[in-house]
Amino acid sequence: MPKKLTKQEDSSKVFIGSGSNQLNRPPPILKKLTIKDIASKSGISRSTVSRVLSDNPNVNAETRARVRSVIKAMNYIPNRLAQGLVTGKINVVGLIVGDIRNPYFSEITRAVEEVLNASGYLVVLCDSAYNTEKEVDFLNVTRELRFASIIMTSAMDNEGLISNLSKLSCPVVLLNRYLQGFPTDVVSFDNQYGAYLVAEHVIKLGHRHFKVLMGPAQSSSSIDRERGYRKAFADHGITCAEDAFVYGDLRFETGYQFGLDLLKQKNRPTAVLAGNDFMAIGIIKAYIDNGLKVPDDLSVTGFDDIQMAGMSAVPLTTIRQPQVEMGQQAAQVVLDRLHGNKSLPRRIIFDAELVVRESTRRIRIPREH
Amino acid sequence: MPKKLTKQEDSSKVFIGSGSNQLNRPPPILKKLTIKDIASKSGISRSTVSRVLSDNPNVNAETRARVRSVIKAMNYIPNRLAQGLVTGKINVVGLIVGDIRNPYFSEITRAVEEVLNASGYLVVLCDSAYNTEKEVDFLNVTRELRFASIIMTSAMDNEGLISNLSKLSCPVVLLNRYLQGFPTDVVSFDNQYGAYLVAEHVIKLGHRHFKVLMGPAQSSSSIDRERGYRKAFADHGITCAEDAFVYGDLRFETGYQFGLDLLKQKNRPTAVLAGNDFMAIGIIKAYIDNGLKVPDDLSVTGFDDIQMAGMSAVPLTTIRQPQVEMGQQAAQVVLDRLHGNKSLPRRIIFDAELVVRESTRRIRIPREH
DNA sequence: CTTTGTATTGGTACCGCTCCCATCACGGTC
DNA sequence: GACCGTGATGGGAGCGGTACCAATACAAAG
């Protein structure tokens, strides 16, 4: 029985052979090195060591070299908590995203981290699960730990949130979101125009019977998108049923469930505009699993253009949102503020772009005319 | 022109109307509240306030209530940097992943965060980009900031890494990875058996001409998987060319490029075993983009069973790895250590499971016999 | 009534670092 | 030779908490 033989057999050996059944590895001998130790070993005062640490120019080149070598030799690591305590700031930036499992956010996260790390900042991620309460909790942590700045994406507009944000004494950058009554830097995306574009595309393909599966109703981007959809409908003389707009939570499963629900209806829409690619893929999956075809039986559009959009079962027609650039830009704005720029709040808006793939098609049996 | 009209028009209005062209919002008035302020406002000593803060039971219930209300009323937030300085620890856990854009990792990240947050710990993510140097940098930050613990996934085995890990004085948990010569808690997965399973599956479908697109050669999971593949080949009397094993970096693009390269060859393999689902999807995409079919022209297998695996153009045959459970488990081990458990290093291994979907099929023209 | 224990609170060293304010040697200036 | 600017360094006071040790009060015990 190869299976039995293989299972866990060799890998265990490898591991055990590597010393795992020793006692717990001993705590590192070099107990607690402080700046004082470095000072005495270098025969110099703490002040000067501190200057070396912070690259203060008022240090003799020779002294600096000597201190540096001692630091290296003793493997000294300065305590950033102590540093932060006295300076009142710490080189850490918080990043709040709605759901890290959504590629839209993980792409942004990667971009933000790259830019900020390169400038010596650490990024602390908060996955809010689209939950304002978790966001507020995180803002408190942010205060406790004296973070240098915060980048917020997603999630809802909310009174409590704003009052909590106001208590912050660090720069805040909003990413693809704005908050009524809280003026601050915003890096955003033309959600309204994007929604307009995608709706217009589907309208031009002859569709008249829509459903719109939105994101959370309170979020600023949802509001803008809804405005764009409605404007497109209005501009083309289409009146859509009031129950056409449905609000979801942007997760794949939600789209899937929505697709299943559609299948139970008698009078199905011919097109669904989804609030993000994740939900769009879920809808498509529900149709396919039940033997129907996209776009033949249903045209579906997404929003964001995540990488997966082009690779899924039916490549998605969607609105491209430049995730990497937006993340980089947000990080750049943070750095700018941290470097002391005190100008008025800025607003940087990225353009929407329609990407037509294979999840939409001209309607077969026009319902009207 | 509806387009021109729509673009940026309304959304700007909304924003500007919300007060964005005010001056920068003023810094919060409540300057710097310290424990001292709370003490004097409550007519009590700092010591007692500190006790209230840390839920020390030796405080009169009445006093506690009074202090609490003052804290709330003044909106006081304790300074965790100061706290951390004196206690030498801070409630923060580091998490190193190879690439946050890979759903495999983002799923784990979410799980780890949920468990750890629930116990009051903050998680700091490090996206190493599969780069040992970045990992080492992060370990240093970890020391500077006195993190309570570290969870490491992915990346390479490496001398420098181990020596850096040894300098850490906090618990370290390895997730789906082990390090020769560094005994510590490991939450892992039976990579070898998984590889064996998937190879056997393809062999049983009649394939004899393989390519294996592995992950990074030095990583422990790659090593185990290679062992599993080779054992399956050996058990079935198959000798495969030495150049059958190729090492990649687990990214989608790498799979795509690999697929393109295959297409240029005259003597193509009939099956490719990919080191993760991401690369497998890339390979499939390359074939489809060039008018070929999967699994008709090539059987492809993945590894991990990320959510996307079932939704991509060709649903993937792959090895299921319980990402959420593994993340939760790792977090649990961390908590356990942090709560003072000093037992010998533990090893928790999750079982591999083959998931057969549509990216593999019986070979059409058996090459041998 | 003194002793002893217990519950509660206060006082005071630090934790490890930065910042401000000397101090000091040195060469140039008048 | 006294004065002074400058570069380099040292010393000490915190930053905002915690932790240890006393101190206090009051009740129970002897």
Side-chain angles (χ1 to χ4, degrees):
Chain A
M1 295 290 87
K3 284 185 189 181
K4 285 271 169 57
L5 271 178
T6 309
K7 199 168 181 180
Q8 297 213 14
E9 180 211 26
D10 288 8
S11 61
S12 315
K13 271 190 199 143
V14 168
F15 191 88
I16 289 175
S18 75
S20 74
N21 43 8
Q22 304 283 325
L23 283 173
N24 243 327
R25 82 203 112 86
I29 317 98
L30 22 152
K31 246 311 184 252
K32 294 212 174 188
L33 279 185
T34 76
I35 204 170
K36 216 166 181 172
D37 301 308
I38 303 301
S40 61
K41 289 280 174 198
S42 328
I44 217 158
S45 76
R46 295 165 1 213
S47 306
T48 303
V49 176
S50 171
R51 285 185 198 104
V52 171
L53 249 31
S54 57
D55 286 318
N56 185 316
N58 298 334
V59 179
N60 183 299
E62 195 183 331
T63 309
R64 178 192 311 278
R66 184 155 38 89
V67 172
R68 286 236 171 96
S69 79
V70 172
I71 286 177
K72 196 156 198 176
M74 304 188 65
N75 214 299
Y76 163 73
I77 294 255
N79 185 331
R80 274 224 230 165
L81 299 180
Q83 243 170 234
L85 176 58
V86 42
T87 61
K89 281 267 182 239
I90 195 168
N91 283 355
V92 176
V93 174
L95 170 63
I96 303 182
V97 302
D99 183 355
I100 191 61
R101 297 168 304 181
N102 185 333
Y104 171 75
F105 289 118
S106 56
E107 200 75 55
I108 286 178
T109 300
R110 158 72 76 117
V112 167
E113 245 205 278
E114 265 179 9
V115 174
L116 256 20
N117 282 350
S119 292
Y121 288 87
L122 185 69
V123 174
V124 174
L125 180 74
C126 166
D127 183 333
S128 75
Y130 298 115
N131 179 344
T132 307
E133 213 174 305
K134 282 202 77 175
E135 293 189 321
V136 170
D137 286 349
F138 186 74
L139 291 182
N140 282 330
V141 172
T142 278
R143 291 210 283 156
E144 291 174 1
L145 253 21
R146 307 298 192 254
F147 282 11
S149 179
I150 295 268
I151 299 176
M152 300 187 76
T153 72
S154 84
M156 324 311 139
D157 198 340
N158 174 293
E159 261 317 306
L161 189 60
I162 291 184
S163 84
N164 274 283
L165 276 171
S166 312
K167 287 178 202 146
L168 255 37
S169 49
C170 70
V172 175
V173 174
L174 264 24
L175 187 44
N176 196 13
R177 143 185 206 169
Y178 55 80
L179 251 17
Q180 300 269 127
F182 187 72
T184 192
D185 292 317
V186 174
V187 172
S188 190
F189 177 74
D190 198 343
N191 283 293
Q192 177 173 343
Y193 185 55
Y196 189 94
L197 278 178
V198 77
E200 187 183 47
H201 164 72
V202 178
I203 290 168
K204 284 186 174 165
L205 289 176
H207 294 274
R208 291 297 177 270
H209 185 187
F210 301 98
K211 281 275 184 187
V212 184
L213 178 54
M214 305 276 300
Q218 316 94 306
S219 89
S220 59
S221 54
S222 286
I223 292 169
D224 284 349
R225 289 179 194 180
E226 180 159 347
R227 195 174 280 130
Y229 290 133
R230 289 196 189 274
K231 182 155 173 55
F233 293 150
D235 283 355
H236 292 82
I238 297 172
T239 50
C240 64
E242 252 329 296
D243 66 348
F245 287 80
V246 179
Y247 301 88
D249 62 3
L250 299 176
R251 295 180 324 127
F252 169 77
E253 292 80 4
T254 307
Y256 191 81
Q257 190 54 49
F258 183 80
L260 294 182
D261 290 348
L262 284 188
L263 290 170
K264 288 188 203 133
Q265 298 177 15
K266 15 7 4 229
N267 184 24
R268 293 182 202 145
T270 65
V272 172
L273 311 175
N276 73 349
D277 292 343
F278 245 28
M279 292 199 295
I281 291 172
I283 296 168
I284 293 173
K285 171 87 170 152
Y287 263 60
I288 292 179
D289 281 358
N290 286 278
L292 296 189
K293 288 204 169 115
V294 172
D296 299 354
D297 295 306
L298 180 73
S299 281
V300 179
T301 63
F303 213 107
D304 293 347
D305 196 28
I306 60 180
Q307 200 179 46
M308 197 195 311
M311 303 186 293
S312 64
V314 180
L316 267 185
T317 293
T318 190
I319 294 295
R320 182 173 133 68
Q321 203 173 146
Q323 296 139 54
V324 173
E325 289 83 350
M326 288 173 69
Q328 291 171 336
Q329 186 62 254
Q332 213 57 66
V333 171
V334 163
L335 288 178
D336 197 36
R337 291 296 179 196
L338 258 19
H339 290 349
N341 182 326
K342 296 281 185 204
S343 66
L344 294 182
R346 254 178 301 169
R347 248 178 105 224
I348 298 164
I349 302 200
F350 283 83
D351 283 338
E353 179 192 343
L354 176 69
V355 179
V356 178
R357 295 205 184 86
E358 299 162 33
S359 65
T360 49
R361 62 161 285 175
R362 177 156 296 284
I363 194 167
R364 291 165 113 176
I365 307 124
R367 304 202 150 235
E368 312 198 343
H369 114 106
Chain B
M1 297 291 86
K3 285 184 187 179
K4 284 273 168 57
L5 271 177
T6 309
K7 199 166 179 181
Q8 296 213 13
E9 178 211 26
D10 288 8
S11 60
S12 316
K13 270 190 200 145
V14 168
F15 192 88
I16 290 177
S18 75
S20 74
N21 43 8
Q22 304 282 326
L23 284 173
N24 245 327
R25 81 202 113 85
I29 317 98
L30 23 153
K31 248 313 186 255
K32 293 212 174 187
L33 280 186
T34 78
I35 204 170
K36 217 168 182 172
D37 300 309
I38 303 301
S40 60
K41 289 281 173 195
S42 327
I44 216 157
S45 76
R46 293 167 344 181
S47 305
T48 303
V49 176
S50 171
R51 285 186 197 102
V52 171
L53 249 30
S54 58
D55 286 318
N56 184 315
N58 299 333
V59 179
N60 182 301
E62 195 183 332
T63 310
R64 178 191 311 279
R66 184 155 38 90
V67 172
R68 286 236 171 96
S69 78
V70 172
I71 285 177
K72 195 156 199 178
M74 302 187 66
N75 214 298
Y76 163 73
I77 294 254
N79 185 331
R80 274 223 231 165
L81 298 180
Q83 245 171 233
L85 175 58
V86 46
T87 61
K89 281 268 181 238
I90 195 166
N91 283 354
V92 176
V93 174
L95 170 63
I96 303 183
V97 302
D99 183 356
I100 191 61
R101 297 168 304 180
N102 185 333
Y104 170 75
F105 289 118
S106 56
E107 201 73 56
I108 286 178
T109 300
R110 158 70 77 117
V112 167
E113 245 206 279
E114 265 178 8
V115 174
L116 256 21
N117 282 351
S119 291
Y121 288 86
L122 185 68
V123 174
V124 174
L125 179 74
C126 166
D127 182 333
S128 75
Y130 298 115
N131 179 344
T132 307
E133 212 174 306
K134 281 202 77 175
E135 293 189 321
V136 170
D137 286 350
F138 186 73
L139 292 182
N140 282 329
V141 172
T142 278
R143 290 210 284 156
E144 292 175 1
L145 254 21
R146 307 300 192 252
F147 282 11
S149 180
I150 295 269
I151 299 176
M152 300 189 77
T153 71
S154 83
M156 324 311 140
D157 198 340
N158 174 294
E159 261 317 307
L161 189 59
I162 291 184
S163 83
N164 274 283
L165 277 171
S166 313
K167 287 177 202 148
L168 254 38
S169 49
C170 69
V172 176
V173 175
L174 264 23
L175 187 44
N176 196 13
R177 142 185 206 169
Y178 55 81
L179 251 17
Q180 300 269 127
F182 187 73
T184 192
D185 292 317
V186 174
V187 172
S188 190
F189 177 75
D190 198 343
N191 284 292
Q192 179 174 341
Y193 185 55
Y196 189 94
L197 278 179
V198 77
E200 187 182 48
H201 164 73
V202 178
I203 290 168
K204 284 187 173 163
L205 289 176
H207 294 275
R208 291 297 177 269
H209 184 187
F210 301 97
K211 282 276 183 184
V212 185
L213 178 54
M214 306 275 300
Q218 316 93 307
S219 91
S220 59
S221 55
S222 286
I223 291 168
D224 284 350
R225 290 179 194 180
E226 181 159 346
R227 194 173 281 130
Y229 291 134
R230 289 196 188 273
K231 182 153 171 56
F233 293 150
D235 283 355
H236 292 82
I238 297 172
T239 50
C240 65
E242 252 329 297
D243 66 348
F245 287 81
V246 179
Y247 301 87
D249 61 3
L250 299 177
R251 294 181 324 128
F252 169 77
E253 291 79 3
T254 305
Y256 191 81
Q257 190 54 50
F258 183 81
L260 294 182
D261 290 348
L262 283 188
L263 290 171
K264 289 188 203 132
Q265 299 177 14
K266 25 330 47 207
N267 184 23
R268 292 181 204 147
T270 65
V272 172
L273 311 174
N276 73 348
D277 292 344
F278 245 29
M279 292 198 296
I281 291 172
I283 297 168
I284 294 174
K285 172 87 171 151
Y287 264 61
I288 292 179
D289 282 357
N290 286 277
L292 296 189
K293 288 204 169 114
V294 173
D296 300 355
D297 296 306
L298 180 74
S299 281
V300 179
T301 64
F303 214 108
D304 294 346
D305 195 30
I306 59 180
Q307 201 179 46
M308 198 195 312
M311 303 185 294
S312 64
V314 180
L316 266 185
T317 293
T318 190
I319 295 294
R320 183 173 134 68
Q321 202 174 149
Q323 296 139 57
V324 173
E325 289 82 350
M326 288 172 68
Q328 291 171 336
Q329 186 62 254
Q332 214 58 64
V333 172
V334 163
L335 288 177
D336 197 36
R337 290 297 179 197
L338 258 18
H339 292 346
N341 183 324
K342 297 280 184 202
S343 66
L344 294 182
R346 254 179 301 170
R347 248 178 105 224
I348 298 164
I349 301 199
F350 283 83
D351 282 338
E353 179 192 342
L354 176 68
V355 179
V356 178
R357 296 206 184 86
E358 300 162 33
S359 65
T360 48
R361 61 160 286 174
R362 177 157 296 285
I363 194 166
R364 291 166 113 177
I365 307 125
R367 302 204 152 237
E368 311 198 344
H369 115 106

